[in-house]
Amino acid sequence: MRPTCGVSLKECFVTIFRHPLVWFYAAAYACTGAVRHSSDQLSVLYFTQYLHLDLSTKPVAVMWTLNIVPLIAAGRLGDFRRGSDKLFGGHRSPVAMGLYFLLSWCSH
């Protein structure tokens, strides 16, 4: 038997979609997604047109960079950051700095 909570599914969706912060977060997510996707696309153009690298040979530095940047930008290293909250007392800048140093070292 299904538990009932006294609120219909329609009422839940109406309440959620009428809340102004939901739309604010949706717009913020769309903007950050647009920036992230465009920078992902521009990185390929940067390697091919500006640095004149042949991506078909799969240079190691380029492959590391193209694989690490989305991980950092998308927050897929969340477990690392979550553990670092205890280590750095909730300060995210040392973690971000360390990740970007890792990125620059891998792409060097």
Side-chain angles (χ1 to χ4, degrees):
M1 184 164 176
R2 296 176 81 185
T4 59
C5 62
V7 179
S8 70
L9 186 61
K10 179 183 176 185
E11 189 177 348
C12 286
F13 280 118
V14 168
T15 303
I16 291 170
F17 288 127
R18 284 189 180 166
H19 198 287
L21 282 179
V22 169
W23 296 106
F24 177 76
Y25 291 139
Y29 185 77
C31 291
T32 57
V35 170
R36 186 180 70 243
H37 288 291
S38 62
S39 66
D40 287 347
Q41 301 301 318
L42 286 174
S43 64
V44 174
L45 290 175
Y46 175 76
F47 286 125
T48 57
Q49 294 180 357
Y50 183 73
L51 297 179
H52 306 291
L53 293 174
D54 182 16
L55 295 183
S56 63
T57 61
K58 298 186 179 188
V60 175
V62 173
M63 291 301 117
W64 270 99
T65 303
L66 290 176
N67 288 317
I68 288 177
V69 168
L71 289 176
I72 294 171
R76 291 202 172 72
L77 297 175
D79 291 333
F80 174 72
R81 289 187 308 178
R82 202 171 322 132
S84 66
D85 280 347
K86 294 178 184 175
L87 183 64
F88 294 108
H91 298 288
R92 297 283 170 95
S93 55
V95 178
M97 182 180 64
L99 290 174
Y100 286 118
F101 276 132
L102 174 68
L103 172 65
S104 63
W105 178 76
C106 289
S107 63
H108 180 54

